[in-house]
Amino acid sequence: MQEYEKKLQGFLKEHNVPAEHLSFNQSCHSVAEAARAAGAAPEDLVKNVCLIDGEGHLIVAIVKGEDRVSTKRVGQALGIDPPRTATPEEILEKTGYPCGGVPSFGFTARFLIDPKVLEKEFVLTGGGSERSLVRLAPQQLPVLNQGLVVRIRK
């Protein structure tokens, strides 16, 4: 898994992203596990839900840790039918990162960011592997991923 973390660290350095990459000895795959590992509250985390549209393109829906994504709202925001959830194989192929470690930026996709994400002073997002996170100001997300800020939570 270190290769994925190194790739993400390289992206952060290359783009001068004011962020902190954190590695842990325990899983950060779920919101609860990540919050425990980082000593943070679930609302300090964001989930990057990987979806596939009808043409096979990747959409990443970013919501706060305690929220769920509405595929209906994602579809409405993009003017498409509701997308389906990506498989772990598709996630690795299309993002370059394993399921459970996908960051909110650093690869090609259509990014949608729920406005509640931007209310926080900082957020924790996937750090490239199931045992790492990135801590950054959420206002960096639309800059890094050219994401559309729109309500996509249920």
Side-chain angles (χ1 to χ4, degrees), residues 49-106:
V49 180
C50 296
L51 305 166
I52 304 291
D53 70 15
E55 297 179 9
H57 299 117
L58 179 66
I59 300 164
V60 178
I62 304 171
V63 294
K64 287 180 64 182
E66 71 273 18
D67 290 334
R68 294 184 61 203
V69 171
S70 165
T71 55
K72 182 178 177 185
R73 286 192 172 156
V74 168
Q76 288 171 341
L78 297 175
I80 61 172
D81 289 333
R84 66 173 174 81
T85 303
T87 66
E89 295 78 23
E90 287 172 323
I91 292 169
L92 181 58
E93 174 194 327
K94 294 181 180 293
T95 70
Y97 296 96
C99 182
V102 175
S104 300
F105 50 83

Side-chain angles (χ1 to χ4, degrees), residues 21-36:
H21 188 269
L22 308 166
S23 292
F24 303 96
N25 291 324
Q26 60 196 77
S27 175
C28 297
H29 185 88
S30 72
V31 169
E33 289 173 341
R36 224 177 358 263

Side-chain angles (χ1 to χ4, degrees), residues 87-150:
T87 66
E89 295 78 23
E90 287 172 323
I91 292 169
L92 181 58
E93 174 194 327
K94 294 181 180 293
T95 70
Y97 296 96
C99 182
V102 175
S104 300
F105 50 83
F107 53 90
T108 303
R110 290 193 74 178
F111 291 89
L112 299 177
I113 307 163
D114 191 84
K116 276 180 64 180
V117 169
L118 302 177
E119 295 173 358
K120 301 294 291 181
E121 182 180 340
F122 73 90
V123 293
L124 295 158
T125 184
S129 79
E130 288 189 11
R131 296 182 179 270
S132 61
L133 297 168
V134 171
R135 183 182 193 270
L136 77 166
Q139 294 74 22
Q140 289 290 316
L141 296 178
V143 175
L144 292 168
N145 64 24
Q146 290 76 53
L148 174 66
V149 178
V150 62

